[in-house]
Structure formats: C-alpha cells, structure tokens
Amino acid sequence: MANKLLRKTFMEPLGKNNPVFVQILGICSTLAVTNKLQNTMVMVLGVMFTTALSSLTISLLRNHIPSRIRMMVETMVIATFVIIVDIVLKAFYPEMWKQLGPYVGLIITNCIIMGRIEAFALQNKPMLSLVDGLASGLGYAYVLLAIAFVRELLGTGSLWGYQILGSWWTNWSIMIMPPGGFFVLAIIIWIIREKFMKEAKND
Amino acid sequence: MTDSLLPFSVFFASIFTGNILLTNYLGMCSFLSVSKELKTSTGLGMAVIFVMATTTPLNWIVYQYLLIPFGLEYLRFIVFIIVIAAFVQLTEMTLERYSEPLYQSLGIFLPLITVNCAILGVSLFMVIREYTLLTSFFFGLGSGIGWFIAIIAMAGIRQKLKNAKIPPGLEGPGIALVIAGFMAMAFMGFSGMIALS
C-alpha cells in the first residue's frame, strides 16, 4: 500500500500531471537558458535540488508553521536552498555561474517549487513530500532538456558543446534567439496535449 | 555614449530591445494566466510598472548601503524578496486605507506581484550590470513599461482569438506561447537601435 502510494506520487508529475504541460508553471526562470544543453542541465539540477529539499523541509515543519505567515516561511526556506546552489556553483564552476547570471537566483520565484509546497508538502509526510518534490523536478527537467536539445541542435548544429552536424548544416539562428524558445515550447506542448487528449478519449 | 545619457538609453533599451518578458522570459506565469482579458491585464501591468520602478532603486540602496559594507552579498536573494514582499504589502495597506478606487483598480493585483519573477529578475540584473541609483530607477521603470506593453498587446490579440479556430492541442497556453514568439520576433526588429549591455 505504502509502496503503491509512493509510486503514484513519483509517476504522476512525470506523466499526466506534469507541471509544464498541464499547469504551464515555472518556465520563467529556466526557459532563458535553454539555448544550451549544458546550461539547462545545471539549471534543472538546481531546480530539482531546491524543489526536493524545500518540500522535505516544509513537510518536516508543517505542524509548526502558523498558517498566516506560511508564505514567508516557505520563501525563506526556498531562498536558503537557492543560495546554497548559488554558492556551490560560484565556488566550483565559476564560468558556468557567470553564464547563468541572475537566473540561478530566479529559481526562488519558480512557481513549481512554491506550488508543490502549497499543494503537497503542507499536507503530507516528509518522505512522500521529498519524492513528490523530486518527481516534480524531474518532470520539469526532461521537458526543459528536450527544449534545449532542439534549440541547441537546430540553432548551432551542436550538442553539449560538441559539433554534431557537419558543415552542410545551416544554423537556424532564430532557435538560439528568444523567439525560438517560445516556439519550441509551444510545439512540444501541442504535441503532448494532442497525444494525451487522444488517450483521454480512448479511456 | 556619454554617462549622463546612460539612464535614458537604459530606459529605452529595457522597453524595446531588451524587453524583460520577450527576451528574458521573465514574468511568464502571470503573463500567460492573466492575459486573457484586457481589463485585468491593464491593472496588473500598471501595478508591475509601479512596483518595478520603486523596488529596483530600493533594492539598490539596500544592496549598496547594507549588504556590501557588511560583506553579505550572498544574502541578496533573501533580502530582495523580503524588500519586495514588504513593500508590496505596505503599498496594498496604504491604498486600501486612503484610496478606495485606486485599490480596486490596482491593489487587488499587488499580492500576485510578489511572486512575479520579473520583479526579482530586474533587481538581480541591476546588481549584475552594476547600475547607479538613477539608472536603476530608469531600468525598473523601463522594464515595467516593457512588460505592460507586452501584456496589453497579448491581451488584445487573445480577445480576437476567441473567434478563431485553433487546433485543440494548441488552445490556451500553447497558442499564447506562439503569439509571444511572434511578438518577440517583432521586438527583435528594434535591436540595433540601442544595445543593453
């Protein structure tokens, strides 16, 4: 029983309750860095770390937080984890830190984290909240990585910084510019929704 | 470009060439959910202009005179968020007490704004780009106006879209993102006029 619940909690944000497709949450802070796969990977790792651990922390504290100031407490907890991410990046990967610029700090305002805390961690046990946070982070991560994959491949002909496509390839420079991010996300949402809607009809 | 002109060039650049929403994707959440109606978009847009233009210089003062002297720069995320939240709360209470009509048109949007990524984003950009106090003010004001223009345009287009036939999978946020993409392309036409360093 417990295992089943755990699995359901883990699988739901990856599939039919995906934060990006279904709720269109939290794309603000990360969409800007999806023009390179490497940057996106670092950002989504940061988001996953923050989502999982702040869900866990809030869940541990859930019986002690007065509901009037809970938003403030949640923000403090999230900001603490983001500061950890920021400091670690700055210390070990200064180049990456410089490239990401303000976007690491903007993880704080990523709606997914606050959303999962409000919707899940405040009512559930710590272990379950950790899993939920991690799964939401993962569900978010693979969508963003897919966007980055398309944008980097079409925009520069390379992946992870390595040249993949030969000299015959003409770069679609629109892809690495801002409009590209909007279009790719829209197309991915379109494909997924079309597919899911068909499945829903068959049920 | 001379230094005395910098605040103005930053002002125009942040509206057109470096639009916070269309080039940095900041403030997408409320942009997508609120832009269904022109009236609410106007209210939210005005509130964003006001909060950005005030919190950016406020955060500049806090950063320069509190965080740097004590070597606490790494706390800026928390401090900026607190400043923004406190300021928004204060404004809401003031409006509610002294100006009923203004509260009705602007105040109800204020709580939404604390979680708007664009507000924090502008403050963080301000720190990284090392603006002065005056430039920060114009940067905040310009970014707010840029966001306002974007959401108004989007709301106008979406109202027309109600009569359009859209593929079912693309309805709602999907089509909004496509439109945002086109708007971003249109705004790219401004690039080359003024560059935002």
Side-chain angles (χ1 to χ4, degrees), chain B:
Chain B
M1 199 170 297
T2 51
D3 280 354
S4 57
L5 277 175
L6 184 69
F8 298 101
S9 60
V10 165
F11 175 67
F12 286 108
S14 55
I15 298 178
F16 295 113
T17 54
N19 190 298
I20 193 99
L21 182 84
L22 296 172
T23 60
N24 294 318
Y25 308 102
L26 296 181
M28 285 301 293
C29 300
S30 31
F31 178 72
L32 288 179
S33 54
V34 175
S35 65
K36 282 173 196 138
E37 258 181 80
L38 198 56
K39 203 168 157 245
T40 33
S41 305
T42 318
L44 185 70
M46 299 293 258
V48 165
I49 296 181
F50 173 71
V51 174
M52 270 191 195
T54 40
T55 55
T56 317
L58 208 61
N59 278 335
W60 186 90
I61 294 171
V62 170
Y63 188 73
Q64 297 290 332
Y65 293 109
L66 270 176
L67 297 184
I68 290 185
F70 293 103
L72 295 172
E73 289 96 332
Y74 64 90
L75 280 182
R76 66 182 183 279
F77 301 154
I78 287 194
V79 173
F80 285 180
I81 279 274
I82 295 176
V83 168
I84 292 168
F87 180 79
V88 167
Q89 192 90 55
L90 209 68
T91 316
E92 197 190 347
M93 284 177 348
T94 318
L95 281 184
E96 199 177 2
R97 173 78 178 76
Y98 290 106
S99 169
E100 187 57 35
L102 206 57
Y103 179 72
Q104 283 302 327
S105 62
L106 211 84
I108 43 172
F109 297 109
L110 284 171
L112 263 176
I113 279 189
T114 322
V115 288
N116 189 327
C117 2
I119 310 280
L120 181 66
V122 168
S123 286
L124 293 176
F125 272 120
M126 171 267 290
V127 167
I128 286 185
R129 292 178 183 159
E130 294 170 345
Y131 286 148
T132 61
L133 181 58
L134 189 66
T135 316
S136 311
F137 169 72
F138 278 107
F139 179 54
L141 185 66
S143 300
I145 294 175
W147 202 87
F148 176 78
I149 292 175
I151 196 168
I152 293 287
M154 175 63 105
I157 297 173
R158 276 182 102 166
Q159 275 192 337
K160 294 274 176 206
L161 271 186
K162 277 179 194 154
N163 307 320
K165 244 184 137 183
I166 302 162
L170 210 55
E171 267 170 10
I175 195 74
L177 283 167
V178 174
I179 297 168
F182 283 124
M183 274 163 62
M185 278 169 85
F187 270 69
M188 270 167 61
F190 291 114
S191 63
M193 261 170 48
I194 303 168
L196 197 63
S197 62

Side-chain angles (χ1 to χ4, degrees), chain A residues 6-203:
Chain A
L6 212 63
R7 233 180 78 188
K8 187 167 165 274
T9 314
F10 187 74
M11 291 313 289
E12 236 171 36
L14 292 181
K16 71 171 185 215
N17 224 343
N18 187 292
V20 182
F21 300 140
V22 184
Q23 306 153 9
I24 322 287
L25 279 183
I27 45 176
C28 350
S29 58
T30 317
L31 203 56
V33 297
T34 51
N35 50 6
K36 273 192 195 151
L37 207 50
Q38 242 169 328
N39 296 2
T40 315
M41 188 52 123
V42 173
M43 273 298 281
V44 295
L45 284 179
V47 172
M48 273 164 64
F49 171 83
T50 316
T51 323
L53 289 185
S54 39
S55 278
L56 175 70
T57 316
I58 293 293
S59 177
L60 284 170
L61 294 171
R62 71 185 186 282
N63 297 327
H64 306 284
I65 304 174
S67 67
R68 270 176 64 90
I69 58 156
R70 69 171 198 286
M71 287 281 199
M72 215 60 214
V73 176
E74 287 161 13
T75 314
M76 293 295 108
V77 170
I78 297 169
T80 312
F81 287 112
V82 173
I83 289 176
I84 296 175
V85 173
D86 187 57
I87 292 176
V88 168
L89 263 186
K90 195 178 178 183
F92 293 102
Y93 304 98
E95 274 307 306
M96 183 57 82
W97 181 78
K98 238 183 237 152
Q99 274 188 35
L100 293 179
Y103 294 110
V104 180
L106 286 169
I107 295 178
I108 299 175
T109 47
N110 191 320
C111 335
I112 288 181
I113 306 176
M114 190 68 110
R116 285 332 288 169
I117 289 176
E118 282 281 308
F120 199 91
L122 280 175
Q123 287 98 34
N124 286 285
K125 292 212 173 77
M127 205 45 218
L128 214 54
S129 303
L130 178 68
V131 170
D132 177 74
L134 198 64
S136 298
L138 266 178
Y140 174 72
Y142 80 80
V143 180
L144 267 295
L145 286 172
I147 297 174
F149 181 86
V150 175
R151 285 185 76 187
E152 192 179 348
L153 187 67
L154 298 184
T156 61
S158 58
L159 280 178
W160 203 265
Y162 297 107
Q163 201 67 32
I164 298 283
L165 301 170
S167 51
W168 51 271
W169 176 255
T170 312
N171 290 342
W172 301 12
S173 47
I174 192 86
M175 275 296 162
I176 45 172
M177 283 193 267
F182 287 115
F183 290 137
V184 175
L185 179 62
I187 290 168
I188 290 184
I189 287 177
W190 187 9
I191 294 171
I192 296 284
R193 287 210 168 179
E194 202 78 18
K195 187 177 155 283
F196 269 96
M197 280 178 67
K198 275 188 189 137
E199 277 177 9
K201 269 178 205 157
N202 290 340
D203 280 344

